[in-house]
Amino acid sequence: MNIPSNLKYTKDHEWIKIEGDTALVGVTEYAQGELGDIVFIEVETVGETLDQHETFGTIEAVKTVSDLFLPVSGEILEFNDALNSAPELINKDPYGEGWIIKLKFTNPAEADELLDAAAYGELIGA
């Protein structure tokens, strides 16, 4: 199981890569494996400012639809448009080309509440 050490994780299986005052957010390799083949991503919150743990979109797989939760509070700046035509990028490259949103976070201290790679590995039994 790939759990990059340069990312932070939520108990809901989202990851966040912090770059200055912005961050990329996606779902973990574990999450995409549990979901199965991803067929659609919906994010209608671009331009909105949401609180930590609020739903920012949904991810649809062949067998289920799941909410996506924001790891930290912030403004949703961008949706990965590549996912419109190729949602399977999340299955193929969840930590790279399969990122879902870019956000500008409003409370950097919230990142300290997230799991590091070792703690996330324990959570999923890796």
Side-chain angles (χ1 to χ4, degrees):
M1 182 70 51
N2 183 17
I3 307 172
S5 60
N6 64 324
L7 305 176
K8 295 280 196 166
Y9 301 89
T10 70
K11 293 178 181 176
D12 296 310
H13 311 291
E14 285 88 14
W15 59 262
I16 183 169
K17 180 179 182 183
I18 297 170
E19 301 170 329
D21 66 347
T22 63
L24 294 179
V25 176
V27 297
T28 64
E29 181 178 311
Y30 174 83
Q32 68 78 27
E34 291 293 303
L35 288 167
D37 293 336
I38 310 248
V39 296
F40 187 70
I41 306 292
E42 183 174 49
V43 174
E44 295 182 345
T45 52
V46 175
E48 294 182 25
T49 299
L50 302 174
D51 291 331
Q52 184 180 33
H53 309 301
E54 273 195 273
T55 301
F56 70 84
T58 57
I59 185 167
E60 183 176 342
V62 172
K63 55 185 175 178
T64 189
V65 176
S66 296
D67 287 336
L68 296 165
F69 301 101
L70 210 55
V72 294
S73 301
E75 178 186 358
I76 313 299
L77 299 174
E78 182 181 343
F79 170 69
N80 182 356
D81 287 330
L83 299 177
N84 285 327
S85 59
E88 68 275 6
L89 286 172
I90 293 174
N91 294 114
K92 293 178 183 173
D93 190 12
Y95 301 116
E97 291 182 25
W99 64 273
I100 299 172
I101 60 165
K102 182 175 186 177
L103 68 90
K104 180 174 179 134
F105 53 91
T106 54
N107 186 354
E110 290 174 344
D112 295 336
E113 301 168 17
L114 301 173
L115 305 173
D116 63 15
Y120 183 71
E122 284 181 34
L123 176 74
I124 62 170

